[in-house]
Amino acid sequence: MAKIDEARALIYIMVTVAAADAQLSDRELNRIGVITDTLPIFEGIDRDVLVEQANNCTAILADEAGLETILTLVHDTIPPRLYETAYAVAVEIAAADLHVEQEELRFLQMLRDALDLDALVIAAIEHSARVRFRLPSQD
C-alpha cells in the first residue's frame, strides 16, 4: 500500500465515517469540502486531490479488511499531536447530516480506540460538535 501524508490520512478518516452507514449524504460531502478548504492542515489540497483520495479510500474500504486497513494506516501516519484533530474531523462529518447512525458511532469508537484518546478530550470534541450542529428552537 502506498504511503500517504497526514492530510490524506485525515481525508481517509472523513470519507470512512461518511461511508460508514453506506450513504454518503450531500451534507457530509459538502462538510468534507468545507473542512479541506478551511483547515490549515489541508493547505495545498485541491478538489482534484480530495476526489482522488476519497476514491482511494473507498477502494480500500471495499476490501474485506478495509476498515482495519484504514485504521492502521491512519494510526501509522498521523502523529500523536494530530490525534485530536483526526477525531474532531471525524465527529464533524458524523454530525454533518444532523443524525449519527449506529455504524458511524461504531467507527468513532474504533477510531477513539486506535488513537487511545483521553475521555475528557473525547467529551469536549463531541460536545463542541453538538453545539455547532444544534437545530433552531421549534417553539
Side-chain angles (χ1 to χ4, degrees):
M1 173 166 302
K3 182 130 173 75
I4 60 172
D5 62 18
E6 298 163 353
R8 285 164 176 78
L10 294 174
I11 291 169
Y12 279 29
I13 289 170
M14 293 188 290
V15 170
T16 301
V17 75
D21 62 358
Q23 298 175 30
L24 285 139
S25 74
D26 288 341
R27 283 180 178 253
E28 290 168 327
L29 293 173
N30 288 336
R31 181 57 67 184
I32 291 171
V34 167
I35 289 170
T36 57
D37 285 345
T38 57
L39 292 185
I41 189 75
F42 297 108
E43 193 167 304
I45 301 288
D46 63 25
R47 291 296 168 120
D48 292 335
V49 172
L50 176 59
V51 170
E52 175 188 342
Q53 294 308 307
N55 289 335
N56 291 345
C57 181
T58 55
I60 294 169
L61 289 170
D63 186 61
E64 186 176 328
L67 190 55
E68 292 79 19
T69 301
I70 294 291
L71 288 168
T72 300
L73 185 61
V74 164
H75 182 269
D76 293 349
T77 302
I78 297 176
R81 69 179 178 79
L82 290 178
Y83 285 0
E84 294 169 0
T85 302
Y87 191 69
V89 297
V91 169
E92 185 85 6
I93 300 308
D97 54 8
L98 306 178
H99 178 75
V100 182
E101 297 291 340
Q102 280 301 113
E103 297 86 356
E104 293 167 321
L105 291 172
R106 178 68 184 126
F107 175 73
L108 291 174
Q109 176 65 50
M110 294 170 76
L111 184 61
R112 289 191 301 263
D113 292 346
L115 302 178
D116 195 29
L117 290 172
D118 178 78
L120 290 176
V121 169
I122 293 165
I125 290 169
E126 292 173 354
H127 179 75
S128 177
R130 278 192 301 277
V131 169
R132 283 191 319 282
F133 286 95
R134 196 167 280 154
L135 293 171
S137 176
Q138 301 288 321
D139 295 337

